[in-house]
Amino acid sequence: MPIIRVALNVPVDTLFDYQSDEATQHDIGLRACVPFGKKQVTGVIIAVNSETQVPAEKLKSAHCIFREIEPLPAASLDLFHFCSQYYHHPLGMVVMNGLPVKLRGNKPVKLKESSNDLQYSLTKAGKQIDLSSIPARQRIARRLLTEFHHATTLTSHQAKQISPRAVKLLQEWVQQKWVSAIPFPPSAVKKAAAIPTLTAEQEIAVNTITTDIQQFNTWLLHGVTGSGKTEVYLRIIEHILAHGKQVLILIPEISLTPQLEAVFRARFPATHLVSLHSGLNDTERLTGWLQAQRGEAKVILGTRLAVFTPLPDLGLVIVDEEQDSSFKQQDGLRYSARDLAIFRARENDIPVVLGSATPSLESYYNALNGRYRSVRLQSRAIKNAALPLIQCIDTRTNKTQEGLSEPLIKALDKCLAEKHQSLVFINRRGYAPVLLCKACAWTALCQRCSSRLVVHLRDKKLCCHHCGHRENFPRACPHCGNQDIAPFGQGTQRVEETLTAHFPAARILRIDRDSIRRKNAWQNILQAIHAQEVDILIGTQLLAKGHDFPNLSLVGILNADTSLYSTDFRASERLFAQLMQVAGRAGRANVAGHVLIQTEFPDHPLYHALQKHDYDALAQTLLAERKIAGFPPYVYQALLRAEAHNIAIVLDFLTQAANLAKPPRSVELFDPVPAQMLRLKGLERAHLLIQSSSRRQLQAFMTEWYAQINKLPAHKVRWVLDIDPLEF
């Protein structure tokens, strides 16, 4: 009897063997429902063998194999294997993490027929079917085939007029790959958007990349904000689509999806596009995933999880805003979607384009040493659109009232008078970050995290932005009884209140995670901005990336200095990228851009580089510092993270793990230390850093060490290996 080897979503790094009399080699990649302990669980068949190491009396039988959708292709299984090995995470958890939620359950998938009409056309295999080979009694099949030969395409509506059963037959033919189906009315009916003329720089970039489009290359498209990177993507995609291939575009934030989706649909109205992100419900996500897997969707736009989508005709991968830390998963399987995208492109022998105005230092370094091929866009794409003028407001001499300085208020007033839009950027939501008692210096702390509770004044709540804990606003200080407790510092809600007091006639809109929780709220906000129904925007980093607001002329930046004295060695790189992105929202069309940064350190080299729009100067300085300090990209790092209810248990576990390690001379192991935020969500955390100048030797050591750590008793401790960590 055949033996199926199944990857299950359990924290054990092994495959599980089951008997299945119906299994064949063609079932590799299909889902199977199997008994596991007292439960039934679903996993993915990784192999079908004729023998097993499990004793016959212990070998269980699989309940069933689900065959209603196509199996995962070999390329997807290879990606999962690589991901499991590189990130040292159980294969079953990697595989099930990469599937839509609806495919993880113990039931076959039943998709309702779309309410939209579908347009069917014969595939290559379908065109080879001989009409005379279909028996005369199969009248519906004969009529459908005859119609295809006459009209080349059929809609669901037209098929129903032939027979009510015709649509069901067409769906069977889609499964057999005789017919392909796309939504109708086809967007081809819509007129394609006007195609802008390329600038000289854009033309060079497009020609350079498309010349080598048939093979693997990692391209770093380094273009200033507003330089038209999206237009370069569109031209390269057009080239790929002309060859019938699929394109995967990864974006860091769900908030960028509506705008980019609109751009792609307008440019390629006849092309089937799907979006894959966490804003979709489970059915919507599965529908898009299946359309991509069947090759029907040609453009796939998604956030980091979309990197695992099976794509049979993949011809190009684009990673927009490649420097963004959102591409790195920060819990469970800690993968980098950008790095997996590069691996996937290499395995498929296709190009991958990494786009950014401020590349990560790792990518910039790889471009400098020739591992990546670099293409630059150094001027804005729209004629007469110049890079914004950036100035610093010295808050040591220009004192702030409620977080706003006099020069910034005057600039906002002038902007309103000229009927232009302005943006006030503060990367801190809520009303105020601290609730303080002025008598005894008590502050409201989260009981579950090593952090302060943030004041949300409208809800009369104190909230933890790390664990979600909420509690009522106290009437008096719980420590000394003083009733004079006050919010301290600024958040988006407090800035909104201050601006409303200063400019009562202005239309002010706050944009942060609290204001865009409802479905479609983000699309409505974007429409209001583009329709110029907003005068002043107040926003967090949600507004920093990728958005194009033609009438925005002024950007004011508050509280930027906090990152200048961070313990994180990447803080300067992140701050520069964030400020460059925010500044880049201004002056993108015919409106001149002006950026004002409130700071106590106007002479800091980071602000000087920002004022000159000189990424290279800062990058060279930071690389020199990293080389001296022995930080990435000059070394490769990994963290063994652990957490438990007591820090002593955590440190004891990490010490035991360190004692097991026998690193070669090229691999350095540091002592266990408590995490920067010691307590998070009720658990105390610590980690142990491992680094090496050789990725290969680090990986070889980690593989051996991972197997040893797995044998340690760890019932009170949760631990995970974090390869190429971004947060400490």
Side-chain angles (χ1 to χ4, degrees), residues 648-665:
I649 296 172
V650 180
L651 291 171
D652 180 56
F653 171 80
L654 291 175
T655 304
Q656 286 182 57
N659 291 338
L660 288 174
K662 294 181 178 60
R665 190 173 294 175

Side-chain angles (χ1 to χ4, degrees), residues 436-624:
L436 175 72
C437 172
K438 293 178 181 177
C440 70
W442 168 87
T443 56
L445 300 174
C446 178
Q447 299 303 310
R448 303 181 68 227
C449 304
S450 304
S451 68
R452 294 188 178 98
L453 293 172
V454 178
V455 178
H456 283 244
L457 206 59
R458 286 183 191 171
D459 304 334
K460 294 198 168 112
K461 294 281 184 188
L462 296 172
C463 303
C464 177
H465 288 176
H466 297 282
C467 72
H469 170 72
R470 292 164 73 88
E471 58 185 65
N472 292 326
F473 210 87
R475 292 183 180 178
C477 172
H479 192 257
C480 71
N482 174 35
Q483 293 193 338
D484 186 20
I485 52 174
F488 183 75
Q490 275 77 36
T492 48
Q493 292 173 7
R494 191 169 197 170
V495 172
E496 181 183 19
E497 183 181 88
T498 306
L499 287 172
T500 304
H502 276 289
F503 307 108
R507 296 165 298 176
I508 297 172
L509 182 64
R510 173 174 56 86
I511 301 173
D512 55 28
R513 293 209 184 279
D514 300 314
S515 67
I516 64 159
R517 285 207 171 120
R518 288 184 188 158
K519 192 164 183 176
N520 299 325
W522 186 233
Q523 286 95 319
N524 297 336
I525 285 169
L526 287 176
Q527 283 171 5
I529 297 169
H530 284 283
Q532 295 184 26
E533 295 166 6
V534 181
D535 298 316
I536 301 175
L537 293 161
I538 302 157
T540 59
Q541 61 185 358
L542 283 172
L543 272 178
K545 307 162 196 156
H547 298 293
D548 197 357
F549 305 134
N551 198 42
L552 185 72
S553 73
L554 174 69
V555 172
I557 296 171
L558 316 183
N559 286 18
D561 290 345
T562 48
S563 294
L564 294 178
Y565 35 86
S566 167
T567 55
D568 181 358
F569 69 86
R570 286 192 173 90
S572 295
E573 176 189 355
R574 284 178 181 151
L575 176 64
F576 186 82
Q578 189 176 70
L579 296 185
M580 188 77 100
Q581 289 286 349
V582 177
R585 298 316 102 208
R588 293 174 73 91
N590 298 320
V591 178
H594 191 193
V595 180
L596 295 174
I597 303 171
Q598 292 187 170
T599 174
E600 290 183 14
F601 309 103
D603 296 323
H604 194 283
L606 186 142
Y607 292 132
H608 280 302
L610 199 67
Q611 286 172 296
K612 294 175 185 172
H613 299 275
D614 194 349
Y615 170 84
D616 294 271
L618 186 79
Q620 299 284 359
T621 304
L622 292 178
L623 281 174

Side-chain angles (χ1 to χ4, degrees), residues 229-335:
K229 292 185 288 295
T230 305
E231 185 57 36
V232 173
Y233 298 155
L234 289 165
R235 296 298 178 100
I236 304 165
I237 290 168
E238 189 177 2
H239 191 89
I240 296 292
L241 293 177
H243 289 83
K245 296 285 190 180
Q246 293 174 295
V247 179
L248 173 64
I249 304 127
L250 295 177
I251 53 175
E253 294 275 356
I254 183 178
S255 62
L256 291 174
T257 313
Q259 182 170 307
L260 270 177
E261 191 174 336
V263 169
F264 285 117
R265 286 196 192 281
R267 180 60 70 87
F268 306 117
T271 302
H272 189 170
L273 179 149
V274 295
S275 281
L276 297 173
H277 54 76
S278 58
L280 304 173
N281 64 40
D282 292 345
T283 303
E284 289 169 332
R285 184 146 199 160
L286 175 62
T287 304
W289 188 91
L290 288 172
Q291 288 168 351
Q293 187 205 29
R294 292 195 294 255
E296 294 163 14
K298 294 298 180 186
V299 176
I300 294 85
L301 181 67
T303 46
R304 62 173 175 256
L305 195 56
V307 76
F308 294 111
T309 310
L311 300 163
D313 302 315
L314 188 58
L316 171 71
V317 183
I318 293 171
V319 184
D320 192 28
E321 307 291 359
E322 67 84 27
Q323 83 291 344
D324 201 290
S325 58
S326 300
F327 284 122
K328 176 86 158 116
Q329 173 79 20
Q330 294 298 350
D331 51 27
L333 168 61
R334 293 170 181 254
Y335 67 95

Side-chain angles (χ1 to χ4, degrees), residues 5-17:
R5 307 210 71 204
V6 183
L8 298 177
N9 192 18
V10 292
V12 182
D13 201 7
T14 185
L15 299 176
F16 296 89
D17 290 2

